[in-house]
Amino acid sequence: MADLGQSKPLPDITDLTRPFWTAAKNGKLVLQKCQRCATFNFHPKPWCIECGSRELQWTAAKPSGTVYSYTVSRTVAMNSPAWAAEMPLILCLIDLDDGARLYGQVTGCRAEDIRIGMRVDVHFEDISDEAGIPKFRPALQPATAG
């Protein structure tokens, strides 16, 4: 990740990862999907994490999932003061509904309200002229009949 002084660190965008960052910039969640075994892969790799096939295609993923694990950071992350305004920062492992597990930030949620098993939906934040980043927030609960 490149650090731009008082800015948050940015990802090193490579030919392998560019489709992920570009799609996020356009408000879409895409992951590599194996054309042989149908496994969604994350982090981007040249081969499938399940069967080793190199037949991977960037595919739209369901933009929702469940909190698998989390931590709450109450100190500045990565020694960058740019994170201070977001403290406390909720960092999670999210099990997407399509099967992949992503690392991401949960926003729009108080630190004391985050919990394992919480349903979350993706939203996107622009981080540069060429990239966006998926973040998550608590899922909207459907209205119940009263």
Side-chain angles (χ1 to χ4, degrees):
M1 298 199 119
D3 188 355
L4 303 176
Q6 294 293 326
S7 299
K8 294 175 188 173
L10 294 172
D12 291 324
I13 298 174
T14 67
D15 288 342
L16 181 63
T17 64
R18 185 170 283 105
F20 175 80
W21 300 113
T22 301
K25 174 76 174 176
N26 294 314
K28 296 179 180 149
L29 181 63
V30 298
L31 301 175
Q32 293 174 313
K33 185 175 183 179
C34 180
Q35 301 304 291
R36 186 176 297 165
C37 73
T39 297
F40 276 94
N41 290 260
F42 191 81
H43 298 285
K45 298 176 180 43
W47 60 85
C48 175
I49 58 173
E50 187 65 30
C51 73
S53 170
R54 291 186 175 266
E55 299 171 41
L56 299 173
Q57 182 175 357
W58 288 98
T59 305
K62 293 178 185 171
S64 56
T66 304
V67 173
Y68 172 79
S69 183
Y70 69 90
T71 190
V72 177
S73 177
R74 297 180 190 282
T75 59
V76 173
M78 295 181 269
N79 296 322
S80 176
W83 290 99
E86 295 185 48
M87 294 297 138
L89 194 67
I90 303 169
L91 304 170
C92 295
L93 288 173
I94 307 292
D95 284 342
L96 292 177
D97 291 340
D98 280 325
R101 181 172 288 159
L102 263 70
Y103 180 74
Q105 180 183 358
V106 171
T107 63
C109 180
R110 297 180 320 163
E112 56 269 23
D113 294 335
I114 192 72
R115 67 185 187 290
I116 293 172
M118 175 185 275
R119 295 289 299 160
V120 292
D121 294 324
V122 74
H123 66 99
F124 299 91
E125 180 180 300
D126 287 348
I127 57 173
S128 74
D129 289 340
E130 64 177 324
I133 191 166
K135 293 186 175 187
F136 297 87
R137 60 180 151 227
L140 295 175
Q141 300 299 317
T144 56

